[in-house]
Amino acid sequence: MHASLHFTTTNTPPSSSTLPKNPIQITRSPTTQITCKILINPSKKTLPQKTQKPLWPPLPPPNTNPLLPQVNPIKPNIHQPRLNPLQKLAASLLNTIETSLIEPLEKKQSLPKTIDPAVQISGNFAPVRECPVQNGLEVVGQIPDCLRGVYVRNGANPMFEPAGGHHLFDGDGMIHALTLGSANRASYSCRYTRTSRLEQEAKMGRSIFPKPIGELHGHSGLARLCLFMARAAVGLVDGSRGNGVANAGLVYFNGRLLAMSEDDLPYNVKIKGDGDLETIGRFDFHGGLDRPMIAHPKVDPVTGELHVLSYDVVKKPYLKYFKFGAGGTKSRDVDITLDQPTMVHDFAITQNYAVIPDQQVVFKLSEMIKGGSPVIYDPNKTSRFGILPKNNVDESGIQWIDVPNCFCFHLCNAWEETSEVGDPIIVVIGSCMDPPDSVFKEHENNPIRAELTEMRMNLRTQESTRRALVPGLNLEVGQVNKEVVGRTSRYVYMAIAEPWPKCSGIAKVDFETGSVTKHLYGTGRFGGEPFYVPKRKNDSMGNQVEEDDDGFIMGFVRDEVDEWSELVILKASSMKQVGLVRLPARVPYGFHGTFISEQDLKEQA
């Protein structure tokens, strides 16, 4: 899961036993000053803190051989000209303003848990260093034959210590890749996605770009934003190349793996022949894309099209819909009229429609002037869904249907049905969250609930119904079989988000029978989003067919007691574990992933 506020400006490795197991520990004094230390051996040695020290000093770029203690920053690929005397003077002045005015203002603020670094990047949420390819991993059980390829999962992994507030969604994007081969062979690597933002900050050796959620709130947030714009105006930073972190979603489309966050264009990341990762660069679909896209585009399994939303928090139209053909050609934008900028983190498609949520979490930049966050819950707004024909060239055919008091951060699937009297029905399955702004605002006396919910919308009567499918159980970040996206599906595989925000297992929900089958990881073991990979068989004619629920579920799991990470593989039909891969390094809890088959890897652009 991920959401952000974005803005623009112009202008032979050692064994796993040598890897640090202990997370970065961040403590907060009564004056809220952050102290950060990396524990190499808690009983013997502690490294002192230094201002703006990288949380995990990164390795040099890919192709570095030994996995040694990291002392060299990422080498930026971008060229930055030498500063002229005026720029040097401006840089010195702006640095003074930051250290003498903005940082003291931030330290006076009492941070809620949602943006407190001591909470947001502690334990297994803490960042890790890059890891070049590690081969010959221990495999327990059996890797199924249909899982030949690479499982990749995205997540936030901040390079530098936060100066002020930090939200989990603010970290730099890092992709963890596990390659699964024949004869139970497995290898692992993880790399930062080398965004323009990351490369510029690596060159400067500190955090420069404002953190959209952790810093951009209140008066100090306005000051941070003005400081960044001033630096951009005199050429100290370049925001024209994008300022996104690419830490949330992953999609494989038209021969490219795309890493996404909704504050920028996607980044093309190539999976190399040895299983390592290489950032190719910011990808604009050969000039077709000139605006950010959300981190949850939808691939239609029948047409091969990629359906996309893009939102803007400053100027109208606040929302646009468009799609890319199977060959990558972009359609024209469809402007969606909204009264105010709304967080649209996810959406759904059916065979004929795009299903667009317009819910109660909105952006109100004026709240920053009042000292608050620009991301707010609007209780006076009625949640609704827009049902837009996918082939429309404008919004004239959209139907808005109210679904009161509904906020779904993630939607699992949607499809079309016909009622008993012949009315067209749109069915949407998603996790309804209450309180709606729980991810962004602290609610001490109101524990978060995220219930798997079915919403049914009648296109003739414009009426809707809503019911919890699994009441009382927090289920989030779910997956259906990708071959039935937009079509009627029977099963969904959900992360059991308890104790929130950790995930203690996976639940398979059967829409037809209402049954729920759980797989719990065990005491002190937690994971994240499960990913379903179908198992295909040949019919009597030699054609590939798929048996529903006859695939496999995979996901990263962290054992917080024994301090190791692993990939767990379950057989979906029984929800029993069939395989496990022990990983050579700690894998933090992250966001979304995907699986790329051996055949698709051969066809990378």
Side-chain angles (χ1 to χ4, degrees):
M1 61 177 72
H2 178 278
S4 64
L5 175 69
H6 60 269
F7 55 90
T8 58
T9 61
T10 56
N11 202 18
T12 321
S15 68
S16 61
S17 62
T18 65
L19 296 173
K21 293 183 177 180
N22 300 284
I24 296 165
Q25 296 186 351
I26 299 178
T27 58
R28 184 171 294 280
S29 68
T31 60
T32 73
Q33 183 174 1
I34 296 172
T35 301
C36 179
K37 54 187 177 182
I38 302 174
L39 300 186
I40 302 299
N41 186 330
S43 63
K44 296 182 180 179
K45 184 177 180 181
T46 299
L47 297 182
Q49 175 194 0
K50 292 184 180 179
T51 303
Q52 287 292 302
K53 182 175 182 178
L55 287 174
W56 274 121
L59 285 170
N63 297 324
T64 298
N65 293 322
L67 184 62
L68 298 174
Q70 301 139 323
V71 294
N72 298 319
I74 287 177
K75 297 177 182 178
N77 294 322
I78 59 176
H79 171 70
Q80 292 188 349
R82 294 177 181 235
L83 300 182
N84 60 43
L86 183 60
Q87 288 175 315
K88 291 179 180 179
L89 177 62
S92 178
L93 177 62
L94 294 173
N95 288 342
T96 300
I97 291 174
E98 181 177 14
T99 56
S100 62
L101 296 177
I102 299 178
E103 289 182 0
L105 179 62
E106 290 173 328
K107 291 175 181 178
K108 291 179 181 179
Q109 298 175 340
S110 177
L111 297 178
K113 292 180 180 179
T114 51
I115 58 170
D116 187 344
V119 175
Q120 294 294 308
I121 49 176
S122 63
N124 197 45
F125 290 98
V128 295
R129 59 184 179 181
E130 288 188 312
C131 179
V133 179
Q134 305 286 290
N135 295 303
L137 304 186
E138 177 187 358
V139 176
V140 179
Q142 187 67 36
I143 299 175
D145 290 339
C146 65
L147 299 185
R148 300 287 181 261
V150 180
Y151 171 62
V152 285
R153 200 222 61 199
N154 211 345
N157 198 83
M159 178 179 290
F160 294 103
E161 171 194 345
H166 181 93
H167 190 278
L168 178 64
F169 296 168
D170 288 334
D172 300 294
M174 175 176 276
I175 299 176
H176 301 261
L178 187 66
T179 302
L180 304 174
S182 59
N184 265 11
R185 292 195 303 268
S187 63
Y188 166 81
S189 68
C190 68
R191 294 289 186 185
Y192 280 108
T193 297
R194 282 155 166 76
T195 62
S196 171
R197 173 186 183 128
L198 182 77
E199 290 194 324
Q200 291 187 65
E201 291 189 339
K203 183 177 181 67
M204 297 179 181
R206 59 186 300 231
S207 176
I208 295 292
F209 287 73
K211 295 178 174 59
I213 303 176
E215 290 181 346
L216 292 187
H217 58 91
H219 300 143
S220 64
L222 287 172
R224 279 280 174 195
L225 185 56
C226 290
L227 178 67
F228 175 80
M229 295 176 71
R231 283 171 169 155
V234 297
L236 302 178
V237 293
D238 183 3
S240 67
R241 297 173 180 265
N243 48 58
V245 288
N247 68 9
L250 291 173
V251 66
Y252 186 81
F253 175 70
N254 194 28
R256 287 181 171 85
L257 175 64
L258 303 178
M260 302 162 292
S261 56
E262 47 214 51
D263 49 5
D264 205 341
L265 275 64
Y267 274 80
N268 180 196
V269 178
K270 185 175 183 178
I271 301 175
K272 301 168 70 175
D274 62 353
D276 210 342
L277 302 167
E278 177 187 4
T279 303
I280 302 302
R282 201 163 174 245
F283 185 62
D284 65 358
F285 288 84
H286 308 294
L289 184 65
D290 61 356
R291 58 186 293 126
M293 53 186 270
I294 68 170
H296 291 282
K298 307 298 178 184
V299 177
D300 188 311
V302 175
T303 67
E305 296 170 327
L306 182 73
H307 298 264
V308 180
L309 290 180
S310 173
Y311 68 77
D312 195 302
V313 304
V314 177
K315 61 183 180 179
K316 294 182 178 181
Y318 297 126
L319 187 65
K320 289 177 179 284
Y321 160 81
F322 47 91
K323 62 184 178 180
F324 295 94
T329 303
K330 182 178 175 293
S331 71
R332 64 179 295 176
D333 293 345
V334 176
D335 297 346
I336 309 296
T337 301
L338 300 178
D339 293 334
Q340 57 186 324
T342 301
M343 177 174 289
V344 188
H345 178 68
D346 198 1
F347 76 117
I349 60 171
T350 69
Q351 182 176 353
N352 297 295
Y353 300 97
V355 183
I356 303 169
D358 177 22
Q359 302 173 122
Q360 294 170 290
V361 175
V362 300
F363 296 100
K364 195 172 182 179
L365 302 186
S366 60
E367 290 295 312
M368 295 177 68
I369 301 175
K370 301 176 184 179
S373 169
V375 184
I376 66 169
Y377 164 59
D378 183 356
N380 298 316
K381 180 179 179 180
T382 300
S383 294
R384 60 181 186 165
F385 284 85
I387 314 301
L388 174 70
K390 292 193 296 189
N391 293 324
N392 274 27
V393 296
D394 57 41
E395 66 173 334
S396 60
I398 195 170
Q399 295 186 61
W400 290 104
I401 300 178
D402 291 347
V403 185
N405 301 314
C406 168
F407 177 76
C408 291
F409 207 67
H410 294 104
L411 301 177
C412 304
N413 200 18
W415 61 82
E416 301 164 28
E417 290 185 1
T418 302
S419 73
E420 294 180 354
V421 297
D423 290 346
I425 305 292
I426 301 295
V427 180
V428 180
I429 307 294
S431 291
C432 280
M433 188 175 292
D434 184 51
D437 57 350
S438 298
V439 175
F440 308 101
K441 183 179 179 180
E442 190 173 355
H443 294 272
E444 286 285 357
N445 300 318
N446 195 359
I448 189 171
R449 290 182 298 143
E451 294 182 325
L452 186 64
T453 303
E454 177 195 76
M455 291 144 285
R456 303 180 69 88
M457 289 165 277
N458 189 308
L459 296 185
R460 184 184 67 82
T461 66
Q462 305 285 294
E463 296 174 335
S464 70
T465 62
R466 190 182 70 158
R467 69 182 180 101
L469 297 173
V470 189
L473 182 64
N474 281 341
L475 298 177
E476 247 287 359
V477 286
Q479 291 276 337
V480 299
N481 184 340
K482 294 299 183 183
E483 301 298 324
V484 295
V485 166
R487 277 75 179 171
T488 304
S489 53
R490 178 173 175 177
Y491 302 99
V492 65
Y493 311 92
M494 307 289 299
I496 303 174
E498 295 181 350
W500 185 275
K502 296 180 180 180
C503 300
S504 56
I506 302 172
K508 179 178 73 173
V509 181
D510 186 335
F511 299 140
E512 187 174 297
T513 66
S515 66
V516 179
T517 308
K518 299 179 185 178
H519 175 89
L520 301 178
Y521 299 128
T523 303
R525 291 164 54 83
F526 304 97
E529 177 189 61
F531 192 84
Y532 176 88
V533 180
K535 178 182 179 181
R536 294 179 175 86
K537 298 180 178 180
N538 291 330
D539 61 15
S540 59
M541 302 296 293
N543 299 313
Q544 281 198 335
V545 296
E546 182 185 322
E547 295 184 5
D548 200 13
D549 197 39
D550 193 29
F552 296 89
I553 309 165
M554 63 174 64
F556 290 129
V557 173
R558 176 66 177 171
D559 190 315
E560 296 188 353
V561 177
D562 292 327
E563 296 188 337
W564 65 57
S565 297
E566 57 200 26
L567 178 86
V568 170
I569 303 171
L570 310 179
K571 185 170 177 58
S573 58
S574 66
M575 292 296 287
K576 301 296 185 182
Q577 182 174 304
V578 297
L580 178 152
V581 182
R582 298 211 187 263
L583 302 177
R586 180 171 65 85
V587 177
Y589 304 125
F591 302 135
H592 307 289
T594 191
F595 179 78
I596 307 167
S597 69
E598 279 185 333
Q599 184 58 43
D600 284 338
L601 288 172
K602 295 175 183 178
E603 298 172 359
Q604 282 188 101

